[in-house]
Amino acid sequence: MSSSEIGEDKCLCWAAKDPSGLLSPHTITRRSITSDDVSVDITHCGVCYADVIWTRNKHGDSKYPLIPGHEIAGIVSKVGSNVHRFKVGDHVGVGTYVNSCRECDYCNQGQEVSCVKGQVFTFNAIDYDGSVTKGGYSSHIVVHERYCYKIPVDYPLESAAPLLCAGITVYAPMVRHHMNQPGKSLGVIGLGGLGHMAVKFGKAFGLKVTVFSTSISKKEEALNLLGAEKFVISSDHDQMKALEKSLDFIVDTASGDHAFDPYMSLLKIAGTYALVGFPSEIKISPANLNLGMRMLVGSVTGGTKMTQEMLDFCAAHKIYPNIEVIPIQKINEALERVVKKDIKYRFVIDIKNSLK
């Protein structure tokens, strides 16, 4: 249902009304488009653990009614008079943020994710006009063209959605820290929505990939479905010991608390360890860093420039996330399954065919 069919700015959505996080149908008003805006009819929205965190007020800052969703794919329905990058009918994506100051050095370099004043998140954030942002579990979204991405027309919209958070979160540090050198070796910790994308990018970059997991049940998928060279149970001391000083890079997608030293010792001299998950603390023996001349780096998603580059890379290399498409009516059940890690590897909501 296009935005014009439900009244200019009326927007159907599913919202959490309180910290129970239970989502139910709701209606909001989106702003009318200004000269630099694009209105996007949302066809698909990926489900991220962030949706669980904020619908359930885990950080104590949730603003209800809260409409989650920051892996958005859809079709342009309207463009403002100043918009030159997009036209009606274009396939586009919207990611984890929808605004930034557009004046600082980072914004000027296309790294809006690091905006000095802070990027404005796609949902549950206060935008520059004072409004609270509402995410992609909705029929349409209005966004400044700068924070919109072209999705190549032959790339499926349902596959594009998870790239806007899970995909870019691992792609950005991999490219930034030169983890795209064929023949090098990569370790991936955790095989969820982010981890499986790190494996896919590693393979596309020509790396030899080792997957680390606490669950033997992931072995088959890691090796046969995703094409990793090795699979290691991280609690197996002997398996870990055998890999000491063998990896050039590690991407750590695990958000649960875990020991860092056992993984750090797997890096070669001057290897790079990129953390993209959010454990509650990091404990590392300084000797592991200093004697190994190793680097521990952190990362969140990516700027607009790199996000577009990643979408084009995925289309060119036919890289598709492994997804389970659901109707919006199954979202509460899906969020429970996300909490239980019962998903391979990303839920995507079919907004177009189920949000009525």
Side-chain angles (χ1 to χ4, degrees), residues 202-275:
K203 296 299 292 178
F205 291 145
L207 306 177
K208 298 190 202 59
V209 182
T210 300
V211 171
F212 297 90
S213 177
T214 52
S215 168
I216 190 73
S217 65
K218 299 274 176 82
K219 182 174 184 176
E220 186 70 17
E221 295 148 32
L223 300 176
N224 299 338
L225 185 66
L226 300 171
E229 273 73 18
K230 289 184 189 147
F231 178 86
V232 173
I233 292 291
S234 49
S235 56
D236 185 322
H237 182 72
D238 294 339
Q239 282 188 47
M240 294 287 280
K241 187 92 182 130
L243 289 179
E244 270 183 10
K245 295 189 179 163
S246 69
L247 302 174
D248 294 291
F249 312 111
I250 289 176
V251 174
D252 183 351
T253 70
S255 275
D257 286 334
H258 58 283
F260 282 76
D261 282 320
Y263 294 113
M264 194 56 93
S265 61
L266 305 183
L267 284 172
K268 292 178 184 173
I269 299 300
T272 303
Y273 188 123
L275 177 67

Side-chain angles (χ1 to χ4, degrees), residues 133-148:
T133 56
K134 312 281 193 196
Y137 291 17
S138 55
S139 53
H140 79 285
I141 191 166
V142 176
V143 60
H144 188 286
E145 70 165 331
R146 178 172 185 152
Y147 310 94
C148 223

Side-chain angles (χ1 to χ4, degrees), residues 10 61 87 118 171 215 283 301 330:
K10 281 275 181 284
D61 62 351
K87 60 185 189 307
Y171 182 89
S215 168
K283 275 190 178 159
T301 60
K330 290 262 173 80

Side-chain angles (χ1 to χ4, degrees), residues 45-51 53-54 69-73 93-97 113 119 121-123 149 158-173 193-198 201 253 276 278 299-303 307 310-311 314 321 345-348:
C45 185
V47 177
C48 177
Y49 191 69
D51 304 344
I53 291 172
W54 278 282
H70 61 199
E71 297 183 337
I72 300 166
V94 178
T96 58
Y97 52 92
V113 66
Q119 86 273 52
F121 292 117
T122 302
F123 69 87
Y149 306 100
E158 64 269 26
S159 299
L163 298 179
L164 279 314
C165 173
I168 187 61
T169 297
V170 291
Y171 182 89
L194 276 66
H196 95 287
M197 288 308 301
F201 288 134
T253 70
V276 294
F278 282 85
S299 189
V300 283
T301 60
T307 302
M310 175 218 45
L311 286 164
C314 287
Y345 288 92
R346 209 67 164 175
F347 283 117
V348 174

